[in-house]
Amino acid sequence: MTNNKTYDYLIVGAGLYGAVFAYEASKRGKTCLVIDKRSHIGGNVYTEKVDGINIHKYGAHIFHTNSKEIWDYVNGFVEFNRYTNSPVANYKGEIYNLPFNMNTFNKLWGVITPEEAKEKIEKQKNASGIKEPKNLEEQAISLVGTDIYEKLIKGYTEKQWGRAAAELPDFIIKRLPVRFTYDNNYFNDKYQGIPIGGYTAIIEKMFQGVEVRLETDFFEDRTNFENIAQKIIFTGMIDEYFNYQFGELEYRSLTFETEKMEIPNYQGNAVVNYTDRETPYTRIIEHKHFEFGTQDTTIVTKEYPSEWEKGKESYYPINDEKNSQLYKKYKELADNEDDVIFGGRLATYKYYDMHQIIGAALTQVEKEFKKNE
Ligand code: FAD
Ligand code: UDP
């Protein structure tokens, strides 16, 4: 070490990004201090065992990736099971398969062949007059027609995001496959599963031998933390880091309501989406089904979306035009910040899944250490 700083790296946030970085830096002999304002490690992938069931405390987390490298990387920490996500949608008591596929089209329209389904969608798309979709609503109608849009997308989307679907970016709906096969797999990726024993086990392994301080907020002792290490890896909110000087970025927040039930099987599936506008929650998850649990009891969680305000957890960036412009201004400041690396979902204001977070962290690691290797 060339100066009197105690650590090589201060890592703000014990989530997946911070954990991958800490693991890789420690492996290279660097000293790291990790801090997190929450009382546990893992950020939003945190799972907690209750009555033998791993509870996904911050909503359903299914690992999926097309990258063999990233799949091998996570499997190097714990073994994954063969869980395949196949959520069902409940629209006012009618049940449909997701993602949008031949099972969905058959239930909705009675069509049997892909050709019949395509014809139906094409007709609805043409009737809508949409040529070049410019927002989520138009994109959805172009992909699956107005019936599916009205029953399975509009209500869910508008409560999830608190905005009209016509005001949201189209990429959000492109996350979901549309398939003309009878295949209910929610993802197209080659690899998919749930870590056996929960996600927390992965994070614990990544932090082995690393100093982690919980219930420690960077902003409550900022001057000290800014001087404690040679470099900072910051995975909190980028606008907060810069004292909201250009204004607040918008996020969606969530509230989780968890309940134990003295029955073995409540809904027959890990994830059920409630796609009507009136039901206040977006989905119910039944945790045991992620790991094929056979317990006598079950635990379910309802997920309620809400607008973010200070003091709430910021779960989803809202990547519309207005917020993208604002983020650009913060990004410029971030690029000029010496010895601070901004990473993860909140600091880069990106709707990243776990595999993308790991990919981004590993790219950063490569960049950071290649000069020394
Ligand atoms: P986070 O997990 O948010 O970690 C950041 C950490 O920084 C937090 O622990 C926070 O407490 C801490 N922190 C922030 N500010 C400070 C501060 N000032 N001082 C100290 N600590 C601070 N991905 C998938 O691949 N599959 C899924 O099925 C999936 N489902 C999801 C469902 C929900 C409801 C949500 C919200 C996300 C889902 N994701 C899913 C995405 C996944 O959660 C993220 O990609 C991943 O957790 C991001 O990791 P991160 O380290 O960037 O952020
Ligand atoms: N979506 C929808 N109906 C559903 C599921 C998803 O309209 O039953 C839309 C909604 O806009 C949602 C987006 O598709 O925000 C992405 O869904 P995903 O399941 O990827 O969301 P996440 O798990 O990240 O919350």
Side-chain angles (χ1 to χ4, degrees):
M1 201 170 297
T2 49
N3 57 22
N4 60 359
K5 308 265 168 124
T6 315
Y7 301 92
D8 293 318
Y9 293 97
L10 169 75
I11 298 170
V12 181
L16 192 54
Y17 190 97
V20 170
F21 194 92
Y23 175 77
E24 295 295 334
S26 308
K27 208 165 80 181
R28 290 164 173 80
K30 304 293 175 192
T31 52
C32 300
L33 170 65
V34 181
I35 59 170
D36 202 297
K37 60 183 180 185
R38 295 187 190 174
S39 60
H40 59 73
I41 57 170
N44 290 339
V45 311
Y46 174 67
T47 49
E48 188 178 274
K49 205 168 208 153
V50 179
D51 296 331
I53 301 169
N54 285 306
I55 306 300
H56 294 211
K57 284 293 260 197
Y58 300 96
H61 277 75
I62 299 100
F63 198 92
H64 58 96
T65 180
N66 248 329
S67 157
K68 176 150 186 354
E69 191 192 339
I70 288 175
W71 183 241
D72 288 345
Y73 187 77
V74 289
N75 277 270
F77 294 97
V78 301
E79 198 183 329
F80 276 62
N81 70 15
R82 57 146 191 92
Y83 178 81
T84 299
N85 197 30
S86 306
V88 296
N90 182 328
Y91 176 76
K92 302 186 177 180
E94 295 168 21
I95 297 291
Y96 295 95
N97 284 115
L98 293 172
F100 314 117
N101 73 83
M102 284 308 297
N103 290 307
T104 329
F105 307 143
N106 172 264
K107 175 91 187 253
L108 193 64
W109 299 315
V111 294
I112 306 282
T113 65
E115 203 179 324
E116 289 172 306
K118 281 184 186 164
E119 211 172 282
K120 197 90 187 165
I121 291 171
E122 201 53 27
K123 223 184 224 168
Q124 296 192 356
K125 182 187 160 185
N126 290 341
S128 76
I130 298 162
K131 294 264 171 332
E132 271 177 46
K134 283 180 285 302
N135 55 53
L136 196 157
E137 177 174 281
E138 294 181 358
Q139 183 66 61
I141 293 171
S142 300
L143 286 170
V144 289
T146 36
D147 287 348
I148 291 184
Y149 173 68
E150 293 293 337
K151 284 193 168 182
L152 303 182
I153 298 176
K154 190 178 187 334
Y156 185 101
T157 294
E158 298 195 347
K159 63 187 172 185
Q160 165 73 1
W161 296 99
R163 282 150 183 76
E167 287 165 23
L168 288 163
D170 61 353
F171 84 86
I172 293 179
I173 199 67
K174 288 195 205 144
R175 287 170 60 85
L176 273 51
V178 177
R179 273 191 213 116
F180 294 91
T181 52
Y182 288 91
D183 177 0
N184 297 326
N185 184 348
Y186 202 59
F187 302 111
N188 281 330
D189 288 343
K190 256 193 231 165
Y191 309 100
Q192 181 172 177
I194 302 276
I196 296 169
Y199 288 91
T200 306
I202 302 183
I203 307 289
E204 271 168 1
K205 286 207 172 158
M206 287 178 174
F207 282 144
Q208 237 165 42
V210 177
E211 185 178 345
V212 181
R213 288 186 207 161
L214 298 173
E215 294 175 323
T216 305
D217 190 327
F218 175 76
F219 297 110
E220 277 175 13
D221 200 6
R222 183 167 186 155
T223 314
N224 169 36
F225 285 128
E226 281 179 335
N227 290 301
I228 211 166
Q230 301 211 43
K231 273 198 172 179
I232 297 177
I233 309 296
F234 185 80
T235 76
M237 287 158 51
I238 190 169
D239 51 348
E240 187 176 19
Y241 181 91
F242 291 110
N243 298 315
Y244 303 105
Q245 59 185 272
F246 301 130
E248 288 175 14
L249 285 163
E250 292 174 308
Y251 299 88
R252 285 302 276 173
S253 194
L254 299 169
T255 311
F256 299 99
E257 211 177 84
T258 297
E259 194 185 336
K260 180 179 171 182
M261 295 175 177
E262 298 299 329
I263 50 170
N265 188 3
Y266 171 68
Q267 62 183 15
N269 207 29
V271 184
V272 178
N273 290 1
Y274 286 77
T275 57
D276 66 297
R277 184 68 190 84
E278 293 71 35
T279 304
Y281 42 86
T282 47
R283 42 194 173 191
I284 300 185
I285 64 178
E286 187 168 11
H287 304 268
K288 68 191 302 180
H289 296 311
F290 290 121
E291 297 185 61
F292 318 107
T294 54
Q295 299 85 355
D296 294 334
T297 54
T298 194
I299 298 176
V300 302
T301 300
K302 289 185 180 129
E303 191 175 316
Y304 295 83
S306 66
E307 198 60 19
W308 175 86
E309 58 194 57
K310 277 185 194 157
K312 283 188 174 181
E313 289 286 354
S314 42
Y315 290 106
Y316 292 90
I318 301 176
N319 298 109
D320 59 9
E321 192 49 34
K322 177 178 122 194
N323 286 294
S324 302
Q325 289 306 325
L326 185 53
Y327 168 67
K328 252 194 211 159
K329 292 169 84 174
Y330 283 117
K331 169 88 167 62
E332 258 171 49
L333 293 184
D335 288 343
N336 289 319
E337 195 80 347
D338 283 339
D339 299 328
V340 184
I341 293 167
F342 294 81
R345 220 185 205 204
L346 300 174
T348 60
Y349 200 64
K350 289 202 172 62
Y351 190 176
Y352 270 161
D353 281 335
M354 292 179 278
H355 62 292
Q356 295 166 309
I357 290 289
I358 294 174
L362 290 176
T363 301
Q364 187 59 53
V365 163
E366 224 170 81
K367 211 164 132 193
E368 186 65 12
F369 297 111
K370 83 167 174 251
K371 39 190 186 260
N372 308 322
E373 278 172 356

